[in-house]
Amino acid sequence: MQLFARRTCLSGDMSSADPFIDPLDRCGLLFAGANTAWSGRGADLPVGVQNGILTAREITLMDLRNADLVVLSACETGAGDITGEGVFGLQRAFKQAGAKTIVMSLWNVSDNVTQAMMYKFYTFWLSGMTKKAAFDQARNELQKIYAQPYYWAGFVMLD
């Protein structure tokens, strides 16, 4: 989340440098067009094309009550600003929008381990296991390969 806020500052949006700005406005997801928008060339995007930046605040405004599962397999997708009211970040935004279950990571995770985790999780889930059982089994399989918790313990499931 810090990288998102820092990058937003570099693009000229100095509001994200202010620690009093809502954390949901300082994190999000990047899609096609984001580099163009952040480089200050947003006017180069075709008319009617979004800027490719979806903030956590925008996610909270979505209706995801029918979303049974959201998988955020990138690094630190479970991170956020910690306040007296909990953690404010992507996970909170998706929960507020109505997503039932979120899979995310709490710290930087290896691309190879992430690929293995997601492959195993989806394989077990699609074979008929519940989401929770498939997730637990996938983590257990990773533990057999990687003894250190650093590799597999960062993946969490929030119901």
Side-chain angles (χ1 to χ4, degrees):
M1 185 161 81
Q2 292 298 331
L3 178 60
F4 188 91
R6 198 172 321 121
R7 180 74 175 183
T8 305
C9 290
L10 293 174
S11 71
D13 180 6
M14 296 312 293
S15 64
S16 63
D18 186 342
F20 298 103
I21 299 298
D22 191 318
L24 296 178
D25 290 327
R26 293 186 293 159
C27 66
L29 300 172
L30 304 178
F31 299 98
N35 285 337
T36 301
W38 263 351
S39 68
R41 298 185 341 263
D44 293 347
L45 292 169
V47 175
V49 172
Q50 297 290 321
N51 65 6
I53 302 170
L54 178 64
T55 67
R57 160 103 29 242
E58 292 169 324
I59 293 168
T60 65
L61 302 174
M62 300 169 92
D63 181 3
L64 298 178
R65 289 175 290 179
N66 290 324
D68 187 48
L69 176 67
V70 171
V71 176
L72 304 170
S73 61
C75 295
E76 298 183 58
T77 50
D81 287 2
I82 300 171
T83 72
E85 296 178 25
V87 179
F88 283 78
L90 287 175
Q91 79 293 346
R92 186 179 194 99
F94 278 104
K95 275 302 199 180
Q96 283 184 323
K100 292 173 185 53
T101 303
I102 304 170
V103 172
M104 59 196 149
S105 69
L106 299 177
W107 53 73
N108 287 332
V109 289
S110 155
D111 289 344
N112 292 335
V113 176
T114 300
Q115 179 184 9
M117 174 66 184
M118 294 303 128
Y119 178 82
K120 290 175 185 299
F121 167 66
Y122 282 113
T123 299
F124 292 135
W125 186 36
L126 294 174
S127 73
M129 290 181 153
T130 65
K131 290 179 295 193
K132 178 69 172 138
F135 181 82
D136 290 343
Q137 185 63 35
R139 276 187 34 163
N140 290 340
E141 294 287 322
L142 285 179
Q143 286 178 8
K144 294 174 186 175
I145 302 167
Y146 304 97
Q148 300 87 359
Y150 167 80
Y151 291 101
W152 49 264
F155 298 104
V156 295
M157 178 179 273
L158 176 65
D159 281 322

